[in-house]
Amino acid sequence: MKKRLLYRLMPLLSLFLLSYPTIAKNTGNGKKVYADYHGVRYTRNHDGMLGRWTMYADTQKSHTGINSLCYNADNLSGDKEPYMNEIASVHYPILGIQSDLDEDYIEYQILSAKTAGIDGFFIEWGFMGHENDVLLKAMQKVAARYDFEIGVNWCDGWLYYDWITKRYPEINTRKKKTEHYVRCYQYLIDSVFTGVTAPIVKGYPVFYLFGPGATVEEYKWAYERVRIPVGMNAPVVLRRWADWGRLENNRYIPVTHSEEIDEWIGLGAVPTAWLPARVRIMDAAHPYWDNYAETEDLIEFMKPFRDSIWNNPNPVFRIKSGFVMPGMDNRGCAGWGRGHFFYIPRDRGETYRKMWRFNMANKDSLDMVFIASWSDFTEGHEIAPTRENGIRELETTLYYSSLFKEKIADKRGLLLPERLFYLRKQFALLKDSGIDIEKKQVRMLNDAAKYISKEKYKKADGLLRACTDYVLKMSSRLMKENLNLSEKDLLRDSLDKQGYDVGKSLKLYLPKDLHHKLLKYNYEGYICFEYLDEGDDFIRIYSETNRIPKDKYSVVGSIRKNKTGQWKPVRIRLYKGNIFYKENNPAFYIKGRGHVRNIMLQYQMMHYEND
């Protein structure tokens, strides 16, 4: 356990050896950098579900020969810790899977972004009451503590799909949806474009309008009905312009003019880029993607923005935004189930650097830069730290955002939010294991977070070191007990030729004396088994729970089958807070269609030595 603790608390020991030179006052020139935020991603222990971490899709329309996606994010791969969840992404987040609604994780992301020179997140948002609206409010709450801005990338197409009708059945016509558009717009004005976390550039509230929802006429009608508070400048709309273009003689030719975009300009919107076009067709060098782009294509894609927007003196362009992205690999979703695989190479970070350099060649014309994205692991264009790429994209962002803002780049802060996050989780583990955490230590962590936010990295580092010493000291007082239970300990059912049939619910019972221990002591646990991958339905594991809503928190894990005909291994984490053990009742139920075998439960119980 001590080895695992050191892994978690000291991701890069070299950071502790950094010297701390004096940094001059770092005020900058008022330009801004924002990042798109894609969600919502959940975890079983925090939310009772997984959200965008998991993905199942039929991809037979793809020309790659990849016929399906089956990402079972509950399942952990690997023979030893740190295990990795089988998530819908080609890159694995450096912290593992976390809940977007976990305040510790929100804090980590906001502080990580700030240390990289990012001023705010634009949450992908559709309408009030949607799950992304919950995320928006959760982000605003934490951002207010750290001088961070929260805006929206308004995906107003969500409002015109049937998504809104499923939530609000009375909004069932396009006319009613456009009327609701007014209410959503007013909500943004009152709750997002004002207040301490409002995204403000040159005195103007700013938001990105992704579309493809309201037409020009519908938007105009809706905007005329919203109320702009006295003293507030009208919001600036950054309207997505991402026409596809074409390939001629192996050279990408971008679209340089759009009549529809001209109509949006007539309403005061500012055309702004999104993910560059991928017009090249799958070839021998790119067998896993239906279409791809080369790095040179990205620069050609951006040139019309430079020529027609950035360097255009037209006063209608009140805020001019650059655009950068690190690359793309959407094998996590294949176009969100539409069966199309896209690829833009990261080229070991050079793609991202080239896009930044193109923007910085025109930095005097730009008021802000928009990054796509902070967290779209599923489409593979995240800049958040991953195990594969480390903090490379954050280092690039810091370097160029500092150049853009005319500030001094200070790399000392980049790894501090990760250390802070692990310490908060270790404090929680110690508390759950019966150790009272000193209030002084909690204050030190809170102060460290504030110092990170204010770029006082030396002070933050000192506090984090002290808290690390405290955690190691208190962890040495934890007693641990390992316990492995096999089928003979757990099952009363009989084995057939293919294993155990779960069609009538396979029940797992614990030894009598174990219930009390598991209820009394903290533990880390896993349920392991193999399943026969026949068909495409689910095998799910349930437990009793006291958490509400029970239909969510009673699900220990869910495994979608994918018709391979093979026996596949499963390892699923058991969360103490979700599971309630009743004596003489089954501890777990495995339900579905098909067979399982080699079932095992593994526990490591932890408690304070005075227990």
Side-chain angles (χ1 to χ4, degrees):
M1 181 176 174
K2 289 182 181 178
K3 185 182 292 186
R4 190 186 318 149
L5 188 63
L6 286 170
Y7 169 81
R8 290 173 174 171
L9 291 179
M10 301 181 182
L12 282 176
L13 291 174
S14 60
L15 184 68
F16 286 8
L17 304 178
L18 285 171
S19 60
Y20 282 83
T22 301
I23 299 294
K25 191 172 182 180
N26 217 1
T27 56
N29 56 18
K31 294 178 183 284
K32 297 289 184 72
V33 175
Y34 296 103
D36 173 79
Y37 191 98
H38 181 270
V40 181
R41 291 171 175 81
Y42 303 107
T43 59
R44 294 285 180 199
N45 57 319
H46 193 275
D47 315 285
M49 53 186 175
L50 295 171
R52 302 296 179 271
W53 290 124
T54 193
M55 183 72 184
Y56 316 108
D58 184 331
T59 59
Q60 294 184 71
K61 292 180 181 179
S62 170
H63 294 92
T64 62
I66 302 172
N67 294 322
S68 64
L69 298 180
C70 188
Y71 293 103
N72 288 309
D74 279 314
N75 192 24
L76 294 158
S77 61
D79 298 326
K80 59 182 180 180
E81 293 199 52
Y83 301 115
M84 296 174 64
N85 298 76
E86 294 180 358
I87 60 172
S89 173
V90 295
H91 299 136
Y92 198 79
I94 207 161
L95 298 185
I97 71 169
Q98 303 293 335
S99 168
D100 286 343
L101 301 182
D102 180 346
E103 282 201 17
D104 293 340
Y105 186 53
I106 293 174
E107 176 187 67
Y108 157 78
Q109 293 180 100
I110 285 174
L111 294 179
S112 292
K114 285 204 70 171
T115 63
I118 296 171
D119 297 283
F121 292 147
F122 280 19
I123 311 298
E124 295 188 14
W125 184 90
F127 51 84
M128 296 175 292
H130 188 270
E131 62 177 349
N132 287 54
D133 193 40
V134 177
L135 172 61
L136 173 68
K137 293 174 181 176
M139 281 279 185
Q140 286 177 314
K141 178 182 176 182
V142 180
R145 299 202 295 261
Y146 299 120
D147 191 26
F148 195 72
E149 300 175 13
I150 301 296
V152 295
N153 175 355
W154 192 358
C155 305
D156 64 346
W158 302 359
L159 209 161
Y160 287 92
Y161 303 152
D162 63 352
W163 301 3
I164 186 76
T165 306
K166 288 179 179 178
R167 183 172 291 273
Y168 306 109
E170 68 278 10
I171 305 176
N172 55 10
T173 66
R174 191 165 186 94
K175 182 176 183 295
K176 291 180 179 179
K177 291 174 180 179
T178 303
E179 291 170 349
H180 194 61
Y181 200 106
V182 178
R183 293 188 286 271
C184 289
Y185 208 147
Q186 192 65 55
Y187 167 80
L188 292 176
I189 289 172
D190 297 339
S191 303
V192 179
F193 303 153
T194 56
V196 295
T197 63
I200 304 294
V201 181
K202 290 170 51 178
Y204 293 99
V206 178
F207 72 96
Y208 192 93
L209 184 59
F210 188 88
T215 64
V216 173
E217 293 78 13
E218 288 167 334
Y219 178 89
K220 181 175 183 292
W221 183 89
Y223 181 75
E224 290 172 347
R225 284 157 178 78
V226 299
R227 303 178 307 279
I228 306 295
V230 176
M232 173 183 171
N233 288 323
V236 174
V237 182
L238 305 178
R239 181 61 169 85
R240 179 176 67 122
W241 183 22
D243 288 341
W244 205 243
R246 67 189 188 278
L247 201 64
E248 287 186 5
N249 300 320
N250 201 37
R251 180 185 176 190
Y252 173 70
I253 307 298
V255 174
T256 58
H257 179 259
S258 166
E259 291 184 1
E260 180 189 2
I261 289 299
D262 284 347
E263 293 180 8
W264 281 102
I265 293 173
L267 295 182
V270 184
T272 304
W274 186 246
L275 302 184
R278 290 80 65 196
V279 301
R280 298 178 185 270
I281 306 298
M282 178 182 68
D283 55 31
H286 304 85
Y288 308 113
W289 305 279
D290 296 281
N291 291 88
Y292 69 97
E294 294 181 346
T295 307
E296 305 83 62
D297 302 344
L298 276 59
I299 303 304
E300 293 301 318
F301 177 84
M302 293 301 300
K303 286 180 179 179
F305 294 93
R306 176 196 64 189
D307 299 338
S308 62
I309 309 298
W310 301 352
N311 295 327
N312 190 331
N314 189 340
V316 72
F317 301 138
R318 293 173 293 166
I319 300 297
K320 297 177 182 179
S321 177
F323 177 83
V324 295
M325 53 91 72
M328 181 185 190
D329 188 342
N330 78 339
R331 282 179 288 174
C333 66
W336 299 104
R338 291 189 291 271
H340 216 97
F341 293 93
F342 292 121
Y343 179 66
I344 299 173
R346 289 193 181 230
D347 193 18
R348 299 179 300 280
E350 184 59 22
T351 296
Y352 193 42
R353 291 189 288 270
K354 282 183 177 179
M355 290 205 75
W356 267 107
R357 287 197 291 268
F358 180 82
N359 281 258
M360 291 305 96
N362 302 274
K363 64 185 178 68
D364 292 340
S365 300
L366 299 175
D367 304 301
M368 60 172 276
V369 172
F370 188 49
I371 304 169
S373 65
W374 175 262
S375 59
D376 199 338
F377 296 96
T378 320
E379 287 194 346
H381 50 84
E382 78 292 328
I383 66 165
T386 62
R387 292 192 182 177
E388 294 80 5
N389 299 319
I391 62 168
R392 183 185 65 206
E393 268 63 85
L394 293 193
E395 291 176 318
T396 299
T397 304
L398 174 61
Y399 177 82
Y400 287 105
S401 67
S402 299
L403 180 66
F404 182 50
K405 299 177 184 181
E406 299 177 338
K407 295 181 66 174
I408 299 170
D410 188 351
K411 294 175 62 174
R412 299 171 305 162
L414 290 175
L415 291 175
L416 297 181
E418 182 181 349
R419 290 166 57 193
L420 172 68
F421 176 83
Y422 279 126
L423 284 166
R424 290 208 187 276
K425 294 309 180 187
Q426 288 301 315
F427 275 24
L429 184 146
L430 292 172
K431 182 178 179 181
D432 290 342
S433 301
I435 295 178
D436 291 329
I437 304 297
E438 296 175 8
K439 292 182 180 180
K440 173 186 174 183
Q441 298 293 327
V442 176
R443 286 196 300 269
M444 289 170 66
L445 279 190
N446 293 338
D447 289 343
K450 292 176 182 177
Y451 285 136
I452 294 170
S453 175
K454 296 177 181 178
E455 299 182 42
K456 296 180 179 180
Y457 300 140
K458 183 177 181 179
K459 289 184 177 181
D461 174 70
L463 292 174
L464 295 178
R465 291 194 198 196
C467 289
T468 298
D469 291 341
Y470 174 79
V471 165
L472 292 173
K473 174 184 174 182
M474 302 308 291
S475 296
S476 67
R477 302 180 183 180
L478 282 180
M479 303 292 290
K480 62 182 181 178
E481 176 184 352
N482 293 320
L483 180 64
N484 294 326
L485 301 172
S486 63
E487 292 175 355
K488 65 179 182 179
D489 304 308
L490 302 168
L491 295 173
R492 301 174 185 177
D493 296 65
S494 58
L495 184 71
D496 64 28
K497 292 182 179 180
Q498 287 189 298
Y500 295 97
D501 187 349
V502 299
K504 295 181 180 180
S505 181
L506 186 65
K507 301 174 182 178
L508 278 60
Y509 294 85
L510 299 181
K512 288 185 178 181
D513 60 338
L514 186 56
H515 291 83
H516 302 293
K517 279 189 174 182
L518 293 176
L519 290 173
K520 181 179 180 181
Y521 298 136
N522 194 22
Y523 64 80
E524 291 184 357
Y526 301 93
I527 181 170
C528 309
F529 58 88
E530 294 177 320
Y531 69 97
L532 184 58
D533 188 21
E534 292 183 338
D536 59 0
D537 45 2
F538 287 89
I539 292 177
R540 292 189 172 94
I541 304 91
Y542 298 89
S543 72
E544 298 292 336
T545 186
N546 288 331
R547 295 187 70 180
I548 303 298
K550 289 190 175 184
D551 62 327
K552 287 185 179 179
Y553 290 104
S554 64
V555 179
V556 175
S558 180
I559 300 295
R560 173 77 174 263
K561 293 185 288 182
N562 199 30
K563 305 179 185 178
T564 65
Q566 302 172 348
W567 283 95
K568 292 186 175 182
V570 169
R571 175 184 293 272
I572 295 174
R573 178 76 180 267
L574 303 176
Y575 294 103
K576 177 178 172 66
N578 288 8
I579 300 169
F580 182 72
Y581 299 97
K582 291 183 179 179
E583 193 170 357
N584 300 321
N585 282 21
F588 302 101
Y589 306 80
I590 305 178
K591 300 182 180 182
R593 295 178 59 185
H595 290 78
V596 300
R597 68 183 186 187
N598 296 333
I599 303 166
M600 179 183 295
L601 292 179
Q602 298 177 335
Y603 292 100
Q604 183 180 80
M605 288 175 280
M606 296 166 283
H607 59 92
Y608 193 37
E609 63 182 1
N610 288 343
D611 287 348

